Each structure stands twice: as C-alpha cells, then as structure tokens.
Amino acid sequence: MANDKILLLEVAPAGRIIEFDTVTATHRILVDELYDFPDGIAVDWQHQRLFYSSMGRIKEPESLEFFQADGMIAEVSLDGHQRHKLVGNGLFVTGKQVAFDEENQQIYWCDREGMRVCRYDVLSGRMEVLVQTGLYPRDAHDYSRHCVGIALDKPHNHFYWTQKGRPKGGEGRILRACLQPDEEYDAAVRTDIVTVLDNLPEPIDLEIDHANQIMYWTDRGLDAAGGNSLNCASIGADGLTNHEVLATGLQEGIGLAADFASSVIYITDLGGNLWRYDIRQRGPLRKLAQFGSLTGIALLKQ
C-alpha cells in the first residue's frame, strides 16, 4: 500500500486534524475545534478510526495551571464525523506522543508532567501505568523525569520512550523496557528499564525500522549541540549505537512518521513545517508545506 496521505495535528492557532496529500500537495481539514492542545496521533486502519492525545491546558512551571491533570485520549472516525473521549477525567496530566498496537487494540502514550508511560486497552477499557518516573505533582518540575515520545518493538517485547530533560538542556535520554514482563512489577521501581542512549540535546518522537533494526527520532534541542534534527542509531541488545545526525534545520522538531517501504520519513515542527527526508538519498530535508504549529503526525494508508 502506498502512503500518499498524511494526518497532521495542528496545535495552534487552533486545534485541528489536517489530511495532506503528498502527491498533489493539497490538504483538507478533517476535524476542527479539537480539545485543548492535541499532541500525538495514531491510526487504527482496521476500524477506520484514529486516536489522538491532548496536553490539556498549557502548563507553565510557575502557574497553578501546571498542576491540572486534564490530559485526554480521544477517538475520531477517519471520515471525521464521529469523535469521543476515551481516557480523561483526571486520569493523567499531559498527553504526548501516541503509539497504537493494532493487533491487540492497545494505545500507548507518554504523560509528560505525569511522568508516566501509559497503556489503554480499547476492548476492555482498562488503563494501566507501565512506567512511573516521579510522583505527581511533587516531582513535576523536574524535567529529567518528563516522558514524551514512544515506539513499540513487539518482535523483541520492548517499548522505547524519551525523557527529554530541561529545554535545550542536553539531558535527553532514550529508554527501553519490556512490553510484557515475565513477572508482576511496580511501575515506579521497574528493574528491566535500560537507558539505551543519553546526553542528547532534547529527544522527542521515535520511530523504528524493524527490518533493519534502526531507531529514528526527532530532537528539538540546541542546534549547536545537534538539536533541531532528525537522528538515527542502530538497535542492539545493549542499547543504541552508531548515532548519526541525519539532518538539521528543524524549527522545534516534534512529530515523526516513516514509510520505510518507500524509504521516506515525514517530520513536523512547531514552526508549522511539514518536511520530507529520503533515507536512500540521505536527504536533504525537503519542505512540503507550511501550516500553523504542528505536533503529531501519522501515515494514512490507502
């Protein structure tokens, strides 16, 4: 199947889902007037729907709003006509990037200020916390605990996530844990968590090329330190190796979606840019379109 259409989350000036056609370079508004500050998006092609996360109200460190647990996961039909809330009502704080396991009908996402990685079973309606890096709201000002991007490696029973650290702080990490541990665990004291790469500028979203065992990610840290970039590294048993900065010039890089069959990566940034990167040709970045501030991105299979 060719991935000729992409779904984009526009967070500002207003929350909406944009469908972009990469062949004709045209777009249409699929859903308008989204809930507060959408951030991550994933498609369930089998059931013709998508899921997106909401950050809730903007959380400023010195404001009482920082402590409001008003994140949300919503479901929207692919025709844009139906939508409803799946997870919310104070169950988590700030919804960030989203991954979806279509086979098991499970949604994974990172809760930034909640300092957690979460999973929701669509069939049972059960939510569980997989990783907890701090206690909310006590530790929410500690950026090193903030979880942001997520990717699933089901063949190896792993999930990966990013903890970005302070903005432009060079404290970013990519971590790994088991999707289905052999034993019961406490999300706050898991013993199977491995830091696979650290001292990164500010890693955000993740994507895995399973065939070649390569991790790709966006980074929005300082340009001089290798931030605002597209990156990759080889996945091994002991972590990520052979880290490369593939392209720079993003304006606060956020979302990442890859069509590995076509050797193409699409990237969004808060500057409102939609970028295309050719893996075979090794770039350079090609700007496809300009919108308002963009966050999440997902391929819409045809």
Side-chain angles (χ1 to χ4, degrees):
M1 293 184 180
N3 290 302
D4 296 333
K5 294 183 179 179
I6 305 171
L7 297 179
L8 308 171
L9 282 180
E10 188 181 63
V11 67
R16 57 184 186 170
I17 301 173
I18 300 169
E19 182 185 288
F20 182 83
D21 190 310
T22 63
V23 175
T24 63
T26 58
H27 72 278
R28 70 184 182 102
I29 307 305
L30 184 66
V31 182
D32 212 344
E33 298 181 351
L34 294 184
Y35 302 112
D36 292 336
F37 298 98
D39 195 81
I41 187 169
V43 175
D44 178 5
W45 181 250
Q46 178 183 354
H47 296 93
Q48 290 290 287
R49 60 186 172 182
L50 62 88
F51 307 103
Y52 77 88
S53 66
S54 164
M55 293 184 280
R57 296 179 179 87
I58 286 293
K59 297 165 175 68
E60 298 294 341
E62 304 305 324
S63 166
L64 291 177
E65 299 237 341
F66 183 80
F67 299 107
Q68 293 191 21
D70 54 0
M72 183 201 64
I73 301 289
E75 175 187 329
V76 181
S77 60
L78 285 185
D79 61 14
H81 293 156
Q82 300 179 31
R83 56 175 162 167
H84 67 276
K85 184 188 298 185
L86 284 180
V87 189
N89 302 318
L91 289 178
F92 67 98
V93 187
T94 312
K96 298 300 289 180
Q97 295 298 307
V98 173
F100 182 60
D101 176 355
E102 189 165 359
E103 178 185 10
N104 294 307
Q105 290 290 293
Q106 292 175 327
I107 307 167
Y108 294 75
W109 73 95
C110 284
D111 178 3
R112 189 178 61 193
E113 275 79 13
M115 301 160 287
R116 301 185 296 179
V117 179
C118 303
R119 176 166 61 196
Y120 176 80
D121 189 291
V122 178
L123 300 178
S124 69
R126 178 174 178 257
M127 173 183 157
E128 59 185 311
V129 178
L130 302 178
V131 172
Q132 180 124 22
T133 66
L135 182 63
Y136 175 83
R138 185 192 68 190
D139 301 319
H141 291 290
D142 183 350
Y143 291 95
S144 70
R145 302 174 185 265
H146 287 184
C147 306
V148 180
I150 186 165
L152 308 181
D153 186 3
K154 289 177 58 184
H156 296 90
N157 192 33
H158 288 146
F159 65 96
Y160 292 80
W161 73 98
T162 60
Q163 290 178 210
K164 71 183 189 67
R166 290 174 298 149
K168 318 301 181 187
E171 302 169 342
R173 294 179 289 160
I174 301 176
L175 304 99
R176 179 178 71 198
C178 292
L179 273 170
Q180 305 294 343
D182 294 332
E183 302 176 352
E184 291 188 6
Y185 62 90
D186 182 333
V189 291
R190 290 185 66 153
T191 59
D192 63 333
I193 293 176
V194 177
T195 298
V196 295
L197 200 60
D198 59 8
N199 298 317
L200 298 172
E202 197 180 348
I204 304 296
D205 200 11
L206 300 169
E207 188 87 3
I208 298 175
D209 177 353
H210 296 280
N212 296 297
Q213 281 295 281
I214 298 175
M215 176 77 74
Y216 292 87
W217 70 93
T218 52
D219 193 297
R220 59 179 292 195
L222 286 171
D223 295 39
N228 272 309
S229 58
L230 172 66
N231 300 256
C232 76
S234 300
I235 301 173
D238 298 324
L240 300 181
T241 60
N242 304 318
H243 173 202
E244 285 187 77
V245 177
L246 297 175
T248 58
L250 302 177
Q251 297 177 25
E252 302 296 313
I254 303 292
L256 175 68
D259 179 358
F260 290 119
S262 301
S263 294
V264 173
I265 293 175
Y266 299 98
I267 305 166
T268 55
D269 64 31
L270 291 181
N273 302 295
L274 171 62
W275 303 94
R276 182 183 187 274
Y277 179 86
D278 191 298
I279 298 173
R280 289 197 191 98
Q281 297 179 4
R282 297 184 66 83
L285 285 174
R286 177 187 166 202
K287 185 174 174 178
L288 298 183
Q290 174 89 42
F291 298 96
S293 293
L294 297 175
T295 51
I297 180 172
L299 301 178
L300 184 59
K301 294 179 181 178
Q302 298 299 296

